[in-house]
Amino acid sequence: MGGWAIAVHGGAGVDPCLPAERQEEARRVLSRCLKLGAAALQAGLTAVDVVEMVVRELETDPVFNSGRGSALTRRGTVEMEASIMDGRGRRCGAVSGLSTVKNPVSLARLVMERSPHSYLAFDGAEDFAREQGVETVDNSYFITEENVGMLKLAKEANSIMFDYRVPIPGVDSCSASAGLIGAKAEGGLQMNGLPISIYAPETVGCVVVDNNRWCAAATSTGGLMNKMSGRIGDSPLIGSGTYACDVCAVSCTGEGEAIIRSTLARDVAALMEYKGLSLQEAVDYAIKERLDEGKAGLIAVSRNGEVAYGFNTVGMFRGSATQDGFMEVGIW
Amino acid sequence: MGGWAIAVHGGAGVDPKLPEERQEEARRVLRRCLGVGAAGLRAGLSAVDVVEMVVRELETDPVFNSGRGSVLTQEGTVEMEASIMDGRGRRCGAVSGLTTVKNPVSLARLVMDRSPHSYLAFHGAEDFAREQRVEVVDNSYFITDENVRMLKLAKEANSIVVCEVDAIRLQSPADTCSASSTITDGGLHMNGLPISIYAPETVGCVAVDNGGWCAAATSTGGLMNKMSGRIGDSPLIGSGTYACGACAVSCTGEGEAIIRSTLARDVAALMEYKGLGLQEAVDYALKERLDEGKAGLIAVSRNGEVAYGFNTVGMFRGCATEDGFMDVAIW
């Protein structure tokens, strides 16, 4: 094999009843971002430049849960986080608790390249953003009407399920939520404690291997719908939501708690490095063996130009392209 | 082997010229905390209860860089972070940006046990602390005169070291140190600061209990003179802290190096995926994963083994095992 390769995702865990127009819209955005990344790779840009560029596109587009279009905290605000890792040297940068930075992934890149630290959060990250002169906007810029509506539904769902960390036998809990017809219809599918029709997939991400076989990964998100302010998920955590090294690059999405305890992104690479598995074998093993009851998905590329996906959820918005001209976008 | 085992650390990267009284004081605190942990394990407490209890002791004592005695941010305040992981079920909890919570590790435990999330930070973590009614104090409680003095020295050192980030990455400490006339430690640096000013980063505890279950916890005030909002490796699961069926690990040292190496997870992954023994895995991780970074770690295995590793000059540490062995060391 060999040559460049790129994969993107827009989150794992998709409502099986998602209307066709929404599916089409998602596919369009994924295709557009993939083509952008592919063109850049054809032009010889480095992996880390390409992942940043593609994730910026995904953040700017309101369709997925990152940047504009982020899921809302329980206060109705947006708090974003992101991380980026350059497999070349295993350099990394991450940010959490952003409320005005237009492109979180770019601030994560600046943390990696222009600060003495690896991870900045909340007020400190916002201060750094201003020092660096990145584009900032009012928090309202990120909020879409759709997500305001979703937050309301999420609050209703949560007030019915009083401890959603405890696994609830699907059908019973759904019949208790009388107002949630959608939940009944979907047979109790849940993620992160919310019925799948309300659950907003968690993140966007991109992984790339460039012409020089360098891998890079980036992940960005608004986080969990109705989350407590200050809640940090897996997306900004190196080794959990994002990882890149010599052999591969990985970006994950799904139930944050499960991805963190599984150190999912690092594990894919460790399975290759320490157990000698190939990319797809490592992806399959990690999803199957490391998550226990957790639901998640991931995209990965290897230095050899291979692409792999894995998910144990119903669906994951994704796409990939390789130098030989192959391109595909998928949801299920 | 088998039986319970416990290890503690008070940070890697020690000033070779640390005065004897300070060394003795550190050993005393480590011995005391080890004793508390060993008693807990003997009494049949679970590993996760023991690591929380021991780290609370380390946080409360002002000697090490966590809780009271934490190093200061560039603004002269304290911002603390911690994480805890129960190998039984690989459950975890973490907190960052705490300014009033007396025992950060206990809040991390509550995040794990009583919140729907794994990691809470800054205002959100402080709000959660109040909801959970943990003990809170004024930020000044955590600040010691010694750390105020150290912050001043750190600011002076940074103004002399013109581009500390690149200088350290290129590992040319000798040149930068001769520029800092007040510092004669022979060029040893960690995290961009001469070793005489650098305050070891963290405290931590790992334990395996009578049931063979492992747990780990790490707590810190972070990096001296850090930017407010800077998060290090200590609250990051897989980097500073990790526990699973096979082992438990707590790391300390240069946060950036520990994060990019996912050091704590790697020790366990080397055991699980490469079949290495505990000490082999510790040695391999330190040797192969850190590149130019400086760090140390403590680890225990489900079989009652204890291991240390560090590529720094010194690491404050101690361990005890069920057969009566106990050891405290710095170098």
Side-chain angles (χ1 to χ4, degrees):
Chain A
M1 280 221 60
W4 59 257
I6 175 172
V8 294
H9 73 73
V14 187
D15 181 0
C17 304
L18 190 70
E21 340 58 273
R22 300 285 308 280
Q23 297 189 38
E24 203 29 58
E25 180 185 42
R27 282 197 200 92
R28 261 199 319 268
V29 175
L30 291 166
S31 283
R32 183 167 59 74
C33 294
L34 260 185
K35 288 193 183 110
L36 187 68
L41 285 161
Q42 293 278 55
L45 260 65
T46 61
V48 69
D49 283 342
V50 175
V51 298
E52 181 192 358
M53 186 172 71
V54 170
V55 171
R56 283 177 68 93
E57 278 298 311
L58 290 161
E59 285 169 342
T60 304
D61 196 299
V63 163
F64 294 114
N65 175 8
S66 70
R68 193 156 154 256
S70 281
L72 306 182
T73 67
R74 66 180 176 189
R75 292 200 222 136
T77 58
V78 162
E79 263 175 33
M80 300 166 291
E81 48 195 15
S83 60
I84 188 166
M85 191 162 186
D86 186 352
R88 185 173 192 174
R90 280 183 294 141
R91 302 180 308 132
C92 47
V95 286
S96 280
L98 300 184
S99 47
T100 70
V101 174
K102 199 160 181 234
N103 285 99
V105 70
S106 292
L107 192 68
R109 178 116 191 236
L110 289 171
V111 170
M112 174 169 84
E113 291 180 344
R114 294 213 207 135
S115 87
H117 302 317
S118 292
Y119 189 8
L120 289 177
F122 291 91
D123 297 336
E126 289 275 327
D127 290 345
F128 178 68
R130 277 148 189 77
E131 277 168 41
Q132 294 294 316
V134 300
E135 196 176 353
T136 56
V137 292
D138 194 73
N139 197 250
S140 57
Y141 162 86
F142 304 103
I143 300 175
T144 59
E145 283 184 24
E146 160 137 17
N147 278 318
V148 173
M150 291 294 246
L151 179 63
K152 193 158 172 292
L153 288 176
K155 284 179 181 292
E156 283 165 18
N158 278 343
S159 67
I160 293 161
M161 296 180 237
F162 41 68
D163 183 7
Y164 56 74
R165 289 193 83 192
V166 176
I168 300 170
V171 177
D172 291 338
S173 63
C174 270
S175 45
S177 3
L180 295 170
I181 296 161
K184 268 183 174 164
E186 68 220 1
L189 272 179
Q190 293 201 28
M191 268 186 75
N192 267 316
L194 292 171
I196 197 76
S197 56
I198 296 172
Y199 175 75
E202 273 240 28
T203 48
V204 299
C206 181
V207 293
V208 160
V209 54
D210 62 27
N211 290 316
N212 293 312
R213 297 178 174 249
W214 293 115
C215 300
T219 312
S220 178
T221 188
L224 189 56
M225 181 70 78
N226 199 26
K227 67 183 178 183
M228 294 168 70
S229 179
R231 179 261 187 180
I232 293 178
D234 62 291
S235 303
L237 305 188
I238 297 299
S240 291
T242 301
Y243 191 73
C245 60
D246 281 346
V247 300
C248 67
V250 185
S251 172
C252 305
T253 165
E255 292 182 329
E257 195 263 339
I259 295 167
I260 293 170
R261 50 193 283 285
S262 311
T263 53
L264 198 62
R266 170 57 186 142
D267 264 54
V268 170
L271 285 159
M272 294 178 74
E273 291 176 277
Y274 299 153
K275 214 171 163 72
L277 300 189
S278 68
L279 185 73
Q280 189 71 59
E281 287 178 317
V283 168
D284 293 341
Y285 186 108
I287 297 276
K288 182 162 186 276
E289 305 293 339
R290 295 285 294 160
L291 289 170
D292 297 334
E293 306 309 318
K295 298 266 178 284
L298 63 93
I299 54 174
V301 291
S302 74
R303 59 171 301 149
N304 297 327
E306 301 158 294
V307 178
Y309 309 127
F311 51 98
N312 66 359
T313 51
V314 174
M316 176 171 76
F317 294 107
R318 66 200 182 277
S320 68
T322 47
Q323 189 165 13
D324 58 8
F326 174 80
M327 186 180 284
E328 91 172 341
V329 164
I331 299 180
W332 313 110
Chain B
M1 279 221 60
W4 58 258
I6 177 172
V8 295
H9 74 74
V14 187
D15 181 359
K17 303 203 182 89
L18 190 68
E20 188 49 47
E21 333 69 85
R22 301 282 309 279
Q23 297 189 38
E24 202 29 59
E25 181 185 41
R27 282 193 204 98
R28 261 200 320 268
V29 175
L30 291 166
R31 227 175 270 126
R32 184 169 58 73
C33 294
L34 260 186
V36 167
L41 287 162
R42 241 178 256 123
L45 288 180
S46 65
V48 69
D49 284 343
V50 171
V51 300
E52 181 192 357
M53 185 172 69
V54 170
V55 171
R56 282 178 67 94
E57 280 296 316
L58 289 161
E59 285 169 342
T60 304
D61 196 298
V63 163
F64 294 114
N65 175 11
S66 71
R68 193 159 154 256
S70 280
V71 299
L72 308 182
T73 67
Q74 66 187 23
E75 286 137 24
T77 58
V78 162
E79 262 175 33
M80 299 166 291
E81 48 195 15
S83 60
I84 187 166
M85 191 161 186
D86 187 352
R88 185 172 192 170
R90 279 182 296 141
R91 301 180 311 127
C92 47
V95 286
S96 280
L98 300 184
T99 49
T100 68
V101 175
K102 197 159 180 236
N103 285 99
V105 70
S106 292
L107 192 68
R109 177 105 192 243
L110 290 170
V111 170
M112 174 169 83
D113 288 346
R114 293 211 209 137
S115 88
H117 302 319
S118 292
Y119 189 7
L120 290 177
F122 292 89
H123 304 305
E126 289 276 325
D127 290 345
F128 178 69
R130 278 150 187 76
E131 278 167 40
Q132 295 293 318
R133 291 209 256 260
V134 300
E135 195 177 353
V136 296
V137 292
D138 193 72
N139 196 251
S140 56
Y141 161 87
F142 303 103
I143 300 175
T144 58
D145 285 348
E146 159 127 17
N147 278 317
V148 171
R149 192 179 60 85
M150 292 294 245
L151 178 63
K152 192 161 174 292
L153 289 176
K155 285 181 182 290
E156 283 165 18
N158 279 343
S159 68
I160 292 162
V161 177
V162 163
C163 182
E164 66 265 44
V165 176
D166 290 325
I168 297 317
R169 294 219 176 113
L170 295 170
Q171 283 296 291
S172 54
D175 293 337
T176 54
C177 265
S178 46
S180 1
S181 55
T182 51
I183 297 150
T184 51
D185 49 29
L188 275 178
H189 273 76
M190 270 186 74
N191 267 317
L193 290 172
I195 197 74
S196 55
I197 297 172
Y198 174 75
E201 275 240 25
T202 48
V203 299
C205 179
V206 293
V208 54
D209 60 30
N210 289 318
W213 295 114
C214 300
T218 312
S219 177
T220 187
L223 188 58
M224 179 71 78
N225 201 26
K226 67 183 179 182
M227 295 167 68
S228 178
R230 178 262 188 182
I231 292 177
D233 61 290
S234 303
L236 305 188
I237 297 298
S239 292
T241 301
Y242 191 74
C244 60
C247 67
V249 185
S250 171
C251 305
T252 164
E254 292 182 330
E256 195 261 339
I258 295 167
I259 292 170
R260 51 193 281 283
S261 311
T262 52
L263 197 61
R265 170 58 185 142
D266 264 54
V267 170
L270 286 159
M271 293 180 75
E272 291 176 274
Y273 298 154
K274 213 170 164 74
L276 300 190
L278 184 73
Q279 188 70 59
E280 287 179 305
V282 168
D283 294 341
Y284 186 109
L286 282 163
K287 182 160 186 277
E288 305 294 338
R289 296 286 293 161
L290 286 170
D291 298 334
E292 306 308 319
K294 299 264 178 284
L297 64 93
I298 55 175
V300 291
S301 75
R302 57 175 309 154
N303 298 327
E305 300 158 292
V306 178
Y308 307 129
F310 52 98
N311 67 359
T312 51
V313 174
M315 176 171 77
F316 294 107
R317 64 198 182 279
C319 71
T321 48
E322 189 167 359
D323 57 8
F325 177 79
M326 187 184 280
D327 172 50
V328 163
I330 298 178
W331 313 109

